[in-house]
Amino acid sequence: MGSYSLAMDNNFYASQLNERQLEVVTDTENPVLVLAGAGSGKTRSLIYRTAYLIKEKQVHPWNILIVTFTNKAARELQERLEKLLNIPVRSLWVGTFHAICCRILRFESAHLPFNANFSIYDEDTQKSLLKKIYKEYGFDKQSFPINNILTRISRYKNKLMLPEDIKFQGEDKDSEFATFLNIYRLYQQQLLLNQALDFDDILLWTAKLLLHNNTVREKYRAQFQYVMIDEYQDTNKAQFEIVHQIAGGHQRVCVVGDDDQAIYSFRGASLRNILEFEKDYNSVHSIRLEQNYRSTGNILALANAVIANNRRRHSKELWSELPEGDKPVLAVYENEIEEANRITDAILKLQKKGIPLREIAVLYRTNAQSRVFESALIQAEIPYSIVGGVQFYQRKEIKDLLAYLYVLSNLNDNESLLRIINEPARGIGQTSINRLISFANKTRISLFRAIQNVEAIEELGNPAKKRISEFCLLLERWQQSVSRKPALEMVKTIVEELGLISHYQNSNDPQDIARAENLVEFVTSVSEFSEHFYQEYEREPLIADYLPYVALQTDLDRVKENMDSIRLMTLHNAKGLEFEAVFIAGLEDELLPHRMCMNNQDSIEEERRLFYVGITRAKNYLHLSYTKSRRLYDTFYFPVPSQFLAEVDSRLFYHSDGDFGIAQPPKRIKKTNKVITESQKYYKIGQKVFHPEYGLGVILSVDGEGEDARLTISFGNRLAKIIGRYLMKNEE
């Protein structure tokens, strides 16, 4: 142990840490709950605690387990630790839950129904596997959408429930639940036959192994004498059990987290784990890290005021020895275009003050909101990069829709045609596509001409020929209109007839909901382009006019990672990052809080935590904004400022330089966390309604109030504008 005995006395630690951080480092023998506020130095505390264990407590690195939220965080922790200790600590177990569990499963494969060389299936491979199961057993994709099934399977696995663990509770064998359970059982069987695990399996099998195998559990309890878990508020049930089974015996566990930054419930994370840690372990030492090293006092004052409205939380209040700084700006704009343009102007002014572009972030709730900012930044020739996502026009659902437009504009565009031939799924399989390509190559004609001459392809069966012919007729019909119909009308026709928005809206998968929002935003972009084009040329633009505009946006050089560029990202993707200046846009009810989260108190609180995360990313400058109107599809609606703004004292905001139209937070009769009821807001975006003729639909935009409101509604494959009084609310 001599190599680990370099002197680091308590004076050294005291000189490097504040009083609370020092407690985290030196209390190594009890269960420790570290409630680490944003920017409070939690990573530093973990690094010094590990150094303390190795140098002062003489603990071998391989007897320490540290679980981080990301691989990047694991690498950073190890590198900083080695720099501090000036020795390699490669035997330290540090990594994400998935990385740690994979190591355990490979070591312990003798106790498991798969071998050590198991494959790991990503989402695409999972879907491919399910498609084969559906085909073999005749399951209906419409009744049991694959994305929904995968989400449902994931939820059960996060609860540590395999098919054999799920009990019928009086359900009929022919019920929907029975069919789902059958799909789940077949899916799991296929995984095992393939010696494969999905990402949820990695956690599930590790938890089950530790729960039910005494030998394995005691082995890892003996090995991991000290356990540290970062971002504990983001753990699910399976992760909780893994930690508890390893650390529950010796109780030498330190968890670090912030319940005020718990924003991943849609991934299965359970806030309960951090809120009830003191019930799970004996004589817990709770330590609050409240000193913030990132943000100025006025930014922290707003953050504290916002999060204080949540009920389910450990009380804490961030403070800083940094200057008070500028108050956050709250600005109101006429619409989202002005919002993007004015924020772009403000970015240029910050740049002139010497702030690097990479130190400026624009945050928003949904990916679809990035489009107007991308356009504004392009116009201003400001480089930008999208963190945790792709550029708007590079997103799959947008590229799919653009491919239709390219094909209709140029029937010889084989690449675009290949992209859409079975998108959305219309039963044209890869074998049929390969035979089409072969025929086109052999006869030296375009792929579209091959499709037109499908009857001449002998290798194709009649069902395939029929489906291809139907696809051909669809394109031919649209192509006849493309040279005379306005671009907006053409795009809406394609979206509606393909049922793209309703296809994604009917899913429970958060990714699919985001895709629906992106498609609505695409139609919005065409509507805006059409307006500007008409003003300039006094005619409605055609598809041929619109496509070059898009090409100029997508053909720009990609922003390099090392370039000085603005960061655009959702609030979820901003977690763990910090910037000199932060803009949070779209602070409106139905955006933040999101419309999908407004009917549930827990969801409202998570949305408020999301807002809190955004605020606490800012070091010195924070700019918040909302709009008076916002375009949705080809109409406008008039949003209500976010209820979160009404909860805080207006004196927490100001504007200083005249660059922003200052807005006071909306005055409400009562500061409240209550759920917005149907009676408070009769019609709202995302609400399901029923029309006697058109059937069940989803509201896309609201113009006006009450029963006189003018609504844009998606009824499956068609859109309609209807006055509210002619509808019935869907009570489901």
Side-chain angles (χ1 to χ4, degrees), residues 410-464:
N410 174 18
L411 292 174
N412 293 314
D413 187 344
N414 286 351
E415 291 303 309
S416 292
L417 188 55
L418 281 170
R419 185 176 184 96
I420 64 171
I421 192 168
N422 199 43
E423 185 65 51
R426 50 177 61 88
I428 302 174
Q430 193 57 50
T431 302
S432 298
I433 294 169
N434 291 341
R435 287 168 179 170
L436 280 169
I437 295 170
S438 176
F439 180 80
N441 292 340
K442 190 165 56 180
T443 54
R444 297 185 178 182
I445 60 175
S446 70
L447 187 60
F448 185 77
R449 288 288 304 279
I451 288 171
Q452 287 181 310
N453 289 277
V454 68
E455 293 297 332
I457 306 175
E458 295 177 358
E459 294 88 348
L460 285 172
N462 287 330

Side-chain angles (χ1 to χ4, degrees), residues 120-249:
I120 300 173
Y121 280 3
D122 62 13
E123 188 177 346
D124 286 342
T125 312
Q126 289 177 269
K127 289 178 181 177
S128 178
L129 186 63
L130 271 180
K131 284 175 183 175
K132 290 173 182 171
I133 291 169
Y134 275 47
K135 186 177 179 181
E136 183 176 353
Y137 292 91
F139 295 116
D140 183 10
K141 288 182 184 177
Q142 289 191 331
S143 301
F144 298 91
I146 283 176
N147 284 341
N148 292 10
I149 292 295
L150 282 175
T151 300
R152 200 166 171 183
I153 288 173
S154 180
R155 285 176 185 155
Y156 274 109
K157 288 187 176 183
N158 284 337
K159 296 176 186 174
L160 302 181
M161 298 178 77
L162 288 167
E164 57 268 28
D165 301 316
I166 302 171
K167 302 283 191 291
F168 275 104
Q169 297 179 345
E171 289 90 351
D172 188 85
K173 288 185 179 180
D174 298 324
S175 69
E176 182 272 345
F177 180 75
T179 304
F180 159 73
L181 194 56
N182 195 23
I183 295 171
Y184 184 11
R185 189 179 292 110
L186 291 166
Y187 169 75
Q188 212 57 27
Q189 286 173 1
Q190 285 298 312
L191 282 175
L192 290 178
L193 282 172
N194 294 346
Q195 292 287 287
L197 307 182
D198 61 27
F199 282 94
D200 292 318
D201 279 329
I202 294 169
L203 303 179
L204 176 145
W205 284 110
T206 307
K208 280 184 170 287
L209 183 64
L210 293 168
L211 273 165
H212 303 302
N213 191 306
N214 294 336
T215 303
V216 173
R217 180 172 61 253
E218 292 307 316
K219 172 184 173 180
Y220 287 100
R221 280 185 178 180
Q223 179 176 343
F224 300 133
Q225 297 171 16
Y226 295 87
V227 178
M228 287 173 262
I229 313 295
D230 195 10
E231 303 288 0
Y232 193 65
Q233 78 279 353
D234 295 325
T235 54
N236 60 25
K237 180 177 172 59
Q239 292 162 330
F240 165 82
E241 282 298 349
I242 291 164
V243 175
H244 194 65
Q245 293 307 312
I246 292 173

Side-chain angles (χ1 to χ4, degrees), residues 358-486:
R358 64 179 174 273
E359 281 292 329
I360 304 172
V362 180
L363 312 182
Y364 35 78
R365 177 62 176 85
T366 69
N367 276 310
Q369 292 169 261
S370 77
R371 197 262 313 168
V372 287
F373 290 103
E374 290 184 63
S375 294
L377 292 167
I378 287 168
Q379 289 293 318
E381 298 183 344
I382 299 174
Y384 68 89
S385 54
I386 296 181
V387 179
V390 296
Q391 292 177 317
F392 183 83
Y393 292 104
Q394 294 300 307
R395 292 168 186 152
K396 178 196 175 296
E397 59 276 14
I398 303 302
K399 291 185 75 172
D400 290 343
L401 185 49
L402 280 170
Y404 275 96
L405 304 185
Y406 282 117
V407 169
L408 296 178
S409 184
N410 174 18
L411 292 174
N412 293 314
D413 187 344
N414 286 351
E415 291 303 309
S416 292
L417 188 55
L418 281 170
R419 185 176 184 96
I420 64 171
I421 192 168
N422 199 43
E423 185 65 51
R426 50 177 61 88
I428 302 174
Q430 193 57 50
T431 302
S432 298
I433 294 169
N434 291 341
R435 287 168 179 170
L436 280 169
I437 295 170
S438 176
F439 180 80
N441 292 340
K442 190 165 56 180
T443 54
R444 297 185 178 182
I445 60 175
S446 70
L447 187 60
F448 185 77
R449 288 288 304 279
I451 288 171
Q452 287 181 310
N453 289 277
V454 68
E455 293 297 332
I457 306 175
E458 295 177 358
E459 294 88 348
L460 285 172
N462 287 330
K465 287 180 180 179
K466 183 173 181 294
R467 287 189 287 270
I468 293 167
S469 294
E470 288 171 351
F471 174 59
C472 181
L473 288 170
L474 184 69
L475 291 183
E476 286 177 335
R477 177 162 58 81
W478 286 343
Q479 209 273 330
Q480 289 170 7
S481 305
V482 77
S483 60
R484 54 182 177 81
K485 268 191 178 183

Side-chain angles (χ1 to χ4, degrees), residues 541-555:
L542 302 173
I543 291 296
D545 300 310
Y546 179 68
L547 287 175
Y549 162 77
V550 176
L552 288 173
Q553 302 228 4
T554 56
D555 289 347

Side-chain angles (χ1 to χ4, degrees), residues 31-33 277-286:
V32 177
L33 169 64
F277 181 82
E278 290 159 310
K279 295 180 182 177
D280 299 326
Y281 296 88
N282 303 322
S283 304
V284 171
H285 181 190
S286 294

